[in-house]
Amino acid sequence: GLTGTKPTDLWAITPETGEKIEKTAPILALSEYKVSLPKVISRYEELAKALGANVESAEVKSAKEEFQAASDELAAAAKEKAGLKVLVLYADKDGVYIAKPEFFADLSYYKELGLDIVAGAGSEDYWEQLSWEQVGKYPADLILTDTRTFALSREQMAEFPTWNALPAVAANQLGDWSAEPRFNYTLAAPVIRKLTAAVKGARTDIAA
């Protein structure tokens, strides 16, 4: 049961809602808090196996190999572009939120692979909030912006002069990122490959 559970323990499910759901079906939660991407994916794999899926199939093995190959390619690109500073952020009308890599399974994994991701400061989990006037606090060669529908698009961000003044923006060294990672070998591999392409195409002398 969920008696005594804090609302933060289950994303978007309060204890009251959880009690109602459990009358119909059991709830199983997989934590992605400060856990690297492969570990989270492996936990989903264990869950799938427990539910009867064949995780030893040729299809799954192929997906794992693709994921590993994509990871190796990112590691090689990060090594080739040593010194490349990557900033990851979410933006809204009030300002930007600088991601803290250790709280995001994908970003912490990219750091493990050698990518130099600039970390936000402060005591809050996940993000450091900055005003639009402070957007240049951290020098960056490549900036990844959140693609979720409620985040500002880069077209909307271009309405802020402080954003346009950033060296990475002026040089169009920008890429996509979603704060909701794909916890699946098949879906994660192309995301990693897209990031690798952005890293390969970026110059390392942009950061001020």
Side-chain angles (χ1 to χ4, degrees):
L2 293 172
T3 306
T5 303
K6 299 192 301 293
T8 52
D9 288 344
L10 292 171
W11 181 253
I13 299 178
T14 64
E16 294 75 22
T17 304
E19 293 290 352
K20 293 177 182 178
I21 294 172
E22 283 194 320
K23 291 177 181 177
T24 303
I27 296 173
L28 184 144
L30 298 181
S31 175
E32 58 185 83
Y33 184 79
K34 288 190 171 183
V35 182
S36 186
L37 185 65
K39 178 63 177 177
V40 183
I41 293 177
S42 71
R43 292 291 288 157
Y44 275 100
E45 186 177 5
E46 291 172 21
L47 173 59
K49 183 177 181 180
L51 294 174
N54 178 14
V55 298
E56 300 299 327
S57 69
E59 184 179 8
V60 173
K61 287 182 178 180
S62 177
K64 282 185 182 180
E65 290 169 1
E66 282 293 310
F67 176 83
Q68 187 58 54
S71 299
D72 292 344
E73 289 166 14
L74 178 57
K79 187 175 182 179
E80 179 186 334
K81 292 296 174 76
L84 185 78
K85 293 193 175 298
V86 182
L87 190 67
V88 184
L89 57 82
Y90 159 81
D92 63 20
K93 61 182 177 60
D94 298 318
V96 297
Y97 299 74
I98 308 300
K100 298 181 178 182
E102 69 270 25
F103 291 99
F104 296 92
D106 55 345
L107 299 183
S108 63
Y109 182 50
Y110 303 155
K111 278 186 69 83
E112 289 173 10
L113 294 175
L115 202 61
D116 184 4
I117 301 178
V118 180
S123 59
E124 295 296 316
D125 283 2
Y126 297 100
W127 313 96
E128 175 186 2
Q129 184 175 2
L130 300 175
S131 68
W132 280 105
E133 289 72 29
Q134 299 171 304
V135 71
K137 178 178 179 179
Y138 298 104
D141 300 297
L142 174 64
I143 300 177
L144 307 180
T145 63
D146 199 330
T147 57
R148 291 177 296 174
T149 54
F150 51 83
L152 291 188
S153 67
R154 287 201 286 271
E155 289 75 19
Q156 291 171 313
M157 293 167 73
E159 297 175 11
F160 295 88
T162 50
W163 169 255
N164 296 324
L166 297 178
V169 176
N172 198 33
Q173 296 204 163
L174 304 167
D176 296 334
W177 172 74
S178 172
E180 298 172 357
R182 300 291 180 259
F183 297 123
N184 173 304
Y185 295 119
T186 302
L187 297 178
V191 173
I192 295 174
R193 287 210 160 96
K194 189 174 181 181
L195 173 58
T196 301
V199 170
K200 285 182 175 180
R203 292 176 15 228
T204 59
D205 59 349
I206 296 297

